[in-house]
Amino acid sequence: MSKSGYQPKLDFMIIGAQKCGTTALWEYLSAHPQVGMPKPKEVHLFSAPSYSPNWSPAEIDHRYAPWFAHCPDAQKFGEVTPAYLFLPDVAPELKRYNPRLKLIVLLRDSAERTLSHYYMQRARGKERLPISLALLAEPWRL
């Protein structure tokens, strides 16, 4: 509970790298009747261009409300925005929003994650190079 006595809605936040299981965890938790998860999966509220560090926890919850309208009776609420792992300005905002917020960080062996990401991009038609050339090209793509 904050100094004002307001209890923020979110109990936990799932962050992590791409291809590390955040979608699977979101699906499993979404199926639990006592856990409220957003639909769609990633809200990106704290990284949105419109986000303001001047918003109170109650204002943040008001902006979250549409994503949780389908689960008003949940006892615990969580959110999944993997990219927060890589955005250093988000961590202090999460703490300001809810000092008791639990962070669940999903990571994966980097070589396995790289291969999984490569094959995902191939399947999407966004990667045309064979893997050996794609890995060599990566420094110039960043």
Side-chain angles (χ1 to χ4, degrees):
M1 196 169 300
S2 71
K3 294 175 189 175
S4 68
Y6 181 80
Q7 178 60 47
K9 184 171 192 119
L10 287 188
D11 299 290
F12 62 92
M13 176 72 65
I14 300 169
I15 63 176
Q18 214 176 27
K19 309 308 294 172
C20 288
T22 58
T23 299
L25 184 55
W26 170 76
E27 288 174 353
Y28 297 143
L29 291 172
S30 294
H32 194 290
Q34 296 175 332
V35 178
M37 297 300 291
K39 286 189 181 172
K41 178 184 123 187
E42 298 180 29
V43 178
H44 293 274
L45 184 72
F46 290 90
S47 59
S50 61
Y51 178 78
S52 172
N54 296 322
W55 292 347
S56 69
E59 289 172 298
I60 292 169
D61 283 343
H62 176 74
R63 291 169 191 272
Y64 263 127
W67 280 276
F68 293 95
H70 63 282
C71 54
D73 298 326
Q75 295 176 17
K76 295 287 181 184
F77 292 89
E79 207 250 281
V80 182
T81 300
Y84 289 170
L85 177 65
F86 304 102
L87 303 172
D89 294 343
V90 171
E93 289 302 307
L94 292 174
K95 184 174 183 176
R96 185 183 66 80
Y97 162 68
N98 183 356
R100 301 182 76 191
L101 185 77
K102 306 291 187 267
L103 285 181
I104 300 171
V105 181
L106 297 183
L107 302 172
R108 184 176 179 184
D109 175 80
S110 58
E112 289 179 12
R113 197 212 65 75
T114 299
L115 291 172
S116 181
H117 183 85
Y118 170 79
Y119 288 112
M120 175 186 72
Q121 294 298 80
R122 287 284 292 203
R124 290 178 174 174
K126 294 181 178 182
E127 177 60 73
R128 301 197 190 293
L129 296 174
I131 192 159
S132 58
L133 293 178
L135 292 172
L136 289 171
E138 194 61 21
W140 290 275
R141 293 175 169 180
L142 295 176

